[in-house]
């Protein structure tokens, strides 16, 4: 005799999910995120990569470029890589949606998971490094007598700030995508595990 389900294991209750609807929603979400990464990654790369400002200091002209800060070079490269990667994966998403399957095989699922993880780490590291350097450029470091560079190169700093904001959204989207690819991978392994261990 069982009161309020005591003695009944909740693990033995069969649960049926509509996997086609779930697969479609995951596929659409993944495709939208990859398009966001592609668009904003290209925008961040263009904003930062084309940014420059000439300033005359004591009759010398000094041109500020993104190559003057190595963290901005890293950010441009990381966003370029993320854009190309998202374009390739976006095409894969379209093909898989047309064929009607989210994943083709376990090795492909592992490759997607690994690629998404690597790109997420790269973009987050690039945004963190560029953000920290930008804070120093904006606020300076009075204890070390580092001056506020953005007081002299205002236009340059504003455009870099816009690029970093775009890159932040790219890195956040890559983190979400890496979670989706992890879900897809472990769901694929979990489905095969249940098939092989069924009595």
């Amino acid at each position: 005799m069982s009161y309020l389900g005591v003695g009944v294991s909740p693990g033995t209750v069969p649960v049926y999910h509509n996997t086609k609807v779930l697969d479609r929603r995951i596929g659409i979400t993944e495709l939208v995120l990859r398009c966001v990464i592609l668009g904003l990654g290209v925008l961040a790369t263009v904003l930062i990569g084309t940014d420059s400002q000439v300033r005359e200091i004591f009759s010398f002209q000094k041109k500020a470029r993104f190559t003057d800060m190595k963290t901005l070079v890293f950010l441009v490269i990381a966003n370029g890589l993320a854009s190309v990667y998202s374009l390739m994966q976006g095409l894969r998403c379209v093909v898989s949606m047309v064929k009607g399957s989210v994943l083709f095989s376990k090795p492909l699922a592992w490759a997607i998971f690994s690629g998404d993880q690597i790109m997420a780490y790269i973009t987050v590291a690039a945004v963190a490094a560029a953000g920290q350097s930008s804070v120093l450029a904006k606020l300076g470091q009075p204890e070390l007598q580092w001056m506020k560079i953005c007081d002299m190169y205002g236009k340059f700093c504003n455009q870099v700030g816009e690029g970093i904001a775009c890159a932040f959204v790219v890195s956040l989207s890559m983190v979400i995508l890496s979670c989706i690819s992890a879900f897809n991978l472990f769901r694929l392994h979990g489905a095969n595990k249940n098939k092989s261990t069924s009595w």
Side-chain angles (χ1 to χ4, degrees), residues 34 37-38 41 45 74-89 110-128 167-179 181:
R34 293 204 187 275
I37 292 167
L38 175 62
T45 302
F74 178 42
L75 186 65
V76 167
I77 292 170
N79 280 304
L81 286 173
S83 299
V84 170
Y85 177 75
S86 289
L87 176 64
M88 293 187 313
Q89 290 296 330
W110 273 106
I112 293 167
F113 171 72
S114 299
D116 286 348
Q117 289 290 316
I118 290 168
M119 291 311 301
Y121 287 132
I122 289 173
T123 55
V124 168
V127 167
F168 176 76
V169 176
V170 167
S171 67
L172 186 63
S173 299
M174 280 305 307
V175 168
I176 294 169
L177 264 178
S178 67
C179 293
S181 63

Side-chain angles (χ1 to χ4, degrees), residues 4 19-20 24 41 79 85 89 101 140 150 160:
L4 300 174
T19 58
K20 289 195 182 272
R24 182 133 177 94
N79 280 304
Y85 177 75
Q89 290 296 330
S101 65
C150 288
V160 165

Side-chain angles (χ1 to χ4, degrees), residues 112-197:
I112 293 167
F113 171 72
S114 299
D116 286 348
Q117 289 290 316
I118 290 168
M119 291 311 301
Y121 287 132
I122 289 173
T123 55
V124 168
V127 167
Q132 188 268 340
S133 294
S134 297
V135 167
L136 281 177
K138 181 78 175 164
L139 302 176
Q141 186 71 36
E143 295 83 11
L144 299 174
Q145 297 179 354
W146 292 350
M147 53 197 242
K148 300 176 184 180
I149 301 298
C150 288
D151 287 348
M152 294 189 302
Y153 297 101
K155 177 199 158 291
F156 177 79
C157 288
N158 288 338
Q159 192 166 333
V160 165
E162 293 165 1
I164 290 174
C166 292
F168 176 76
V169 176
V170 167
S171 67
L172 186 63
S173 299
M174 280 305 307
V175 168
I176 294 169
L177 264 178
S178 67
C179 293
I180 289 173
S181 63
F183 173 76
N184 283 335
L185 174 67
F186 296 125
R187 183 175 62 144
L188 183 64
H189 278 282
N192 290 341
K193 182 180 177 186
N194 289 339
K195 288 178 187 173
S196 64
T197 60

Side-chain angles (χ1 to χ4, degrees), residues 9-19 194:
S9 173
T12 60
V13 177
V15 178
Y16 301 100
H17 297 285
N18 191 351
T19 58
N194 289 339

